Amino acid sequence: MGSVNVEIAEAVRVSLADILQAKRRIAPHIVNTPLVASRSLSKRVGSDVYLKFEHRQHTGSFKFRGASNAVLSLGDDQKVKGIAAVSTGNHGRALALAAKQAGTRCVVAMSELVPQNKRDGISALGAEVVIHGRSQDEAQKAVDRMIADEGMATIPPFDHPDVIAGQGTLGVEIIEQLADIDTVLVQLSGGGLISGVAAAIKAVSPTTRIVGISMQRGAAMHASLAAGKPVEVEELPTLADSLGGGIGLNNAYTFAMTRALVDEVVLLDEEEIARGVHHAYWHEEEVVEGAGAVGIAALLAGKIAAPGRCVAILSGRNIDIAQHHKLISNQPVAR
Ligand SMILES: *Cc1c(COP(=O)(O)O)cnc(C)c1O
């Protein structure tokens, strides 16, 4: 057992101390989101289920925690030069506001094909929007140029210790809000969220079970865990669009941390995810995006064995409102 513990210690490169430091750093900027008991889910699964309302975080997702911690951790020189990124999703929104609050320049590059409402959303949060090319890869070239020519920095969405420590503050909040937790259900894509949350919770409560939830359509971390190394999977459209994308073949942190700290991974099909969004609205009265609803969905699908005293994180709310309308009224949706 001794060697196993050494292996885990080497894999877990973000500690509870790092996470507590992040918590002090970002506390003035973030919402301490509510943890609420779900009567409907508790009744359905026959044990105590709680929901962590992180979709009510600034910018509509937990990504703001990691972005805020990473931006505030930049050196003074880098704060002046600023940051650049391509994400139009939750990471881009989070970076835009985090940079604005820190008084740091933030440029978000996107392709011509990104719809106007997404451009407006990012600039409303305080970032400069640069339109470049007709694909995400071409927009990335604009960012690479700003990094090379103007000395800007970029902050990746998950595989970075400051980002992981920021997401870990969500785990600390959960254990401050509720004692004796048996199971925590955490969204799993690149693994920044689950690495941080698991590092925080396992440090205090090693027997609490951490379950990662991904969609069947393109679960890159799940495939990588099975292969024993980071692998690429085909990216497919899914209702849980915020869970799409790979983990990076050169993954430096989240693959090892997920492998060391996560007890199991559950995969969901599109119908199951749709039912999660539907349930969140009609039974919890919350607007949650597909990725945000996968914990609820896994419980409804009966895919969590013996949940016990269980917390499901609602990770985000940024869903196209027309698509949300279709999901809650049981109409077919295009992905
Ligand atoms: C990014 C994101 C996730 C997945 O987080 P990872 O750190 O990539 O695993 C889950 N839910 C929402 C709403 C997200 O934006």
Side-chain angles (χ1 to χ4, degrees), residues 61-63 90 158 187-193 242-243 289 291 315-316:
S61 82
F62 72 88
K63 290 275 195 328
N90 287 335
F158 53 86
Q187 288 74 6
L188 175 56
S189 174
L193 176 63
S242 291
L243 301 185
E289 61 176 281
S315 59

Side-chain angles (χ1 to χ4, degrees), residues 18-36:
D18 299 327
I19 296 167
L20 292 174
Q21 197 180 19
K23 192 159 187 283
R24 282 189 295 275
R25 194 177 286 125
I26 67 177
H29 303 286
I30 64 156
V31 181
N32 191 323
T33 54
L35 183 83
V36 300

Side-chain angles (χ1 to χ4, degrees), residues 139-163:
Q140 182 64 49
K141 283 184 195 145
V143 168
D144 293 344
R145 218 170 19 247
M146 286 183 268
I147 293 170
D149 298 349
E150 301 176 44
M152 297 183 88
T154 195
I155 293 171
F158 53 86
D159 200 27
H160 187 289
D162 296 334
V163 173

Side-chain angles (χ1 to χ4, degrees), residues 77-95:
D77 176 52
Q78 195 60 57
K79 279 192 185 135
V80 173
K81 287 181 179 156
I83 55 169
V86 277
S87 169
T88 57
N90 287 335
H91 179 58
R93 297 168 61 93
L95 281 181

Side-chain angles (χ1 to χ4, degrees), residues 35-36 41 49-54 174 183-187 292-297 299 310-315:
L35 183 83
V36 300
L41 285 168
V49 177
Y50 296 80
L51 299 174
K52 176 68 169 164
F53 276 7
E54 186 65 11
I174 290 171
T183 311
V184 182
L185 309 182
V186 190
Q187 288 74 6
V294 297
I296 292 177
L299 286 166
C310 177
V311 175
I313 295 173
L314 306 189
S315 59

